[in-house]
Amino acid sequence: MFLPGTMTVNDDGMLEIGGVTAEKLKEKYGTPLLVFDEELILKKINLYKKAAGSYPGENQIIYASKAFLCQGLAGLINKTGLALDIVSRGELFRARKGGFPPDRMFFHGNNKLPVELEEAIEAGVAIFVIDNAREAGLLTDLARRYQMKLACQLRVTPGIAARTHDYIRTGQKTSKFGVGIETGQAEELALWIENQENLILQGVHSHIGSQIYESRPFRELIWVLLQFLLDLRRNHGLILEDVNLGGGFGSPQTEEDSQVDIVSLVSEVAGELATTCRRESYPYPRLLLEPGRSIVGEAGTTLYTVGSIKRVNNSKNYVAVDGGMTDNIRPALYDAIYEGFLANRCREKPEISTAVVGKCCESGDVLVEETELPRPRPGDILAVPASGAYSYSMASNYNGIPRPAVVIVKAGEADMLIAREGKDDLIRLDRMPDRYK
Ligand code: LLP
């Protein structure tokens, strides 16, 4: 049984998260319910801070808000002093409503709309991570119009294929993100930006993918980026201040997944950057990291209620719950593997091997491919731990299913972060043409 963070099992065999029982959470908020463990989020953030602190130059940890964002979380992240990665005006809006200061925001994305750039400039976003030449052109025009100087990093494609699922790999040469180093496009665009009066080229950025458990791809990334910086220095006398290595540090989803030791992984990466810079007599750049999943992934547990239970073909068991791919599409989309257990019967011996499926009209609507459970009964609470990242943020209303509620627990208290959607929310944007009435 995977019990990250403050999760424990009490004497009644009931799961508790942050000192609140699963039964109480279900009673008060209903299911499906995504429960975040505040202590674990803060612990992860502190591990990142500690590890990055071993780097001799400056550092900045940026939370990648695409993993999970709401006003409350923006408030919590703000209090820790981390910066925020946003990729749309929607994330900008939500984070600002949560009181997050734009001067600690980094604006990412491969196709930022002109209106998004305008809103970000007006808000005073700290850094624009430029993805391509068109965006650089738009930005310089806007900067002129607003009579401002805008700080930028250039996203480059380093040509590194990290060992992870194809859909979440981004550093390979054919990626849709960034400009290629090898083709010379990155150097050309870097110079172009540098020559714009109202753009300040502060550094380079790269994100090689997600769910990376080893330091090797990051070390390779550092060599490639440093080479690029050295070329800029040698060929053009340019010295850049920022090296942004993106996010992608792995986050375990089951007990078997290797536990990533954030401190040693990040310290190794920081050490590599420092050593490479010393070797090349390059002034230590500011080191930036953008973790998302590894901050909120393990800290989120989804609670469901068991409904129908069946055995088919005398060979396969199904336990269906009241959510599914609408609140967590990751198993269907990336073959992500999660664990599931009965949160109200944690001390009972497993008796059956079963799949846990959702209620959507879709065979691929599987949450847990296979797990061992005590003989389940309708009404049992099924917990899927370590499901906090990219679950709610990719949730949908497929099959007319409202999105779940989200709460955060700490020291025996639970607070609502996002209320459960209701039926009215589903039709809020519908319009009825008169002729159909
Ligand atoms: N920085 C940039 C520029 C990114 O594109 C991403 C993730 C991150 C940081 C954070 O990566 P993390 O530390 O969370 O791995 N929906 C997929 C993940 C897509 C990740 C997109 N970019 C999933 O559910 O696995």
Side-chain angles (χ1 to χ4, degrees), residues 64 66-67 85 108 155 168 205 207 209-211 246-249 290-294 330 334 389-390 394:
K66 65 205 84 180
D85 151 351
H108 286 270
R155 179 160 185 170
I168 52 177
H205 169 278
H207 170 76
S210 271
Q211 282 295 42
F249 300 93
E290 296 168 344
R293 187 190 322 264
S294 49
R330 301 197 66 261
Y334 314 111
Y390 302 104
M394 297 204 296

Side-chain angles (χ1 to χ4, degrees), residues 172-321:
Q172 72 280 22
K173 287 179 200 161
T174 52
S175 167
K176 76 164 181 174
F177 299 102
V179 278
I181 293 181
E182 214 181 85
T183 54
Q185 285 168 306
E187 185 169 340
E188 196 183 316
L189 188 52
L191 283 184
W192 191 89
I193 295 170
E194 176 64 19
N195 286 329
Q196 305 308 304
E197 238 170 44
N198 43 26
L199 299 183
I200 305 160
L201 180 62
Q202 210 156 296
V204 280
H205 169 278
S206 196
H207 170 76
I208 49 178
S210 271
Q211 282 295 42
I212 301 167
Y213 285 88
E214 11 161 52
S215 66
R216 175 143 192 109
F218 290 105
R219 297 211 317 271
E220 281 177 27
L221 175 61
I222 288 168
W223 304 330
V224 175
L225 292 184
L226 240 285
Q227 201 48 55
F228 178 62
L229 295 187
L230 292 173
D231 286 349
L232 287 179
R233 180 172 71 177
R234 186 175 342 97
N235 301 342
H236 313 285
L238 246 176
I239 293 183
L240 302 187
E241 288 162 39
D242 286 353
V243 168
N244 188 338
L245 301 178
F249 300 93
S251 181
Q253 281 162 201
T254 66
E255 211 162 19
E256 284 79 50
D257 285 345
S258 43
Q259 270 291 339
V260 195
D261 179 351
I262 293 175
V263 176
S264 58
L265 186 58
V266 171
S267 308
E268 236 180 278
V269 171
E272 186 70 36
L273 181 59
T275 314
T276 316
C277 288
R278 272 196 300 273
R279 196 173 55 226
E280 305 292 345
S281 307
Y282 199 90
Y284 293 130
R286 176 167 71 142
L287 165 65
L288 299 102
L289 299 170
E290 296 168 344
R293 187 190 322 264
S294 49
I295 304 277
V296 292
E298 270 185 280
T301 302
T302 315
L303 301 179
Y304 301 94
T305 299
V306 171
S308 43
I309 299 159
K310 61 168 81 157
R311 182 168 176 78
V312 298
N313 195 34
N314 275 329
S315 60
K316 186 165 173 72
N317 296 313
Y318 284 106
V319 171
V321 296

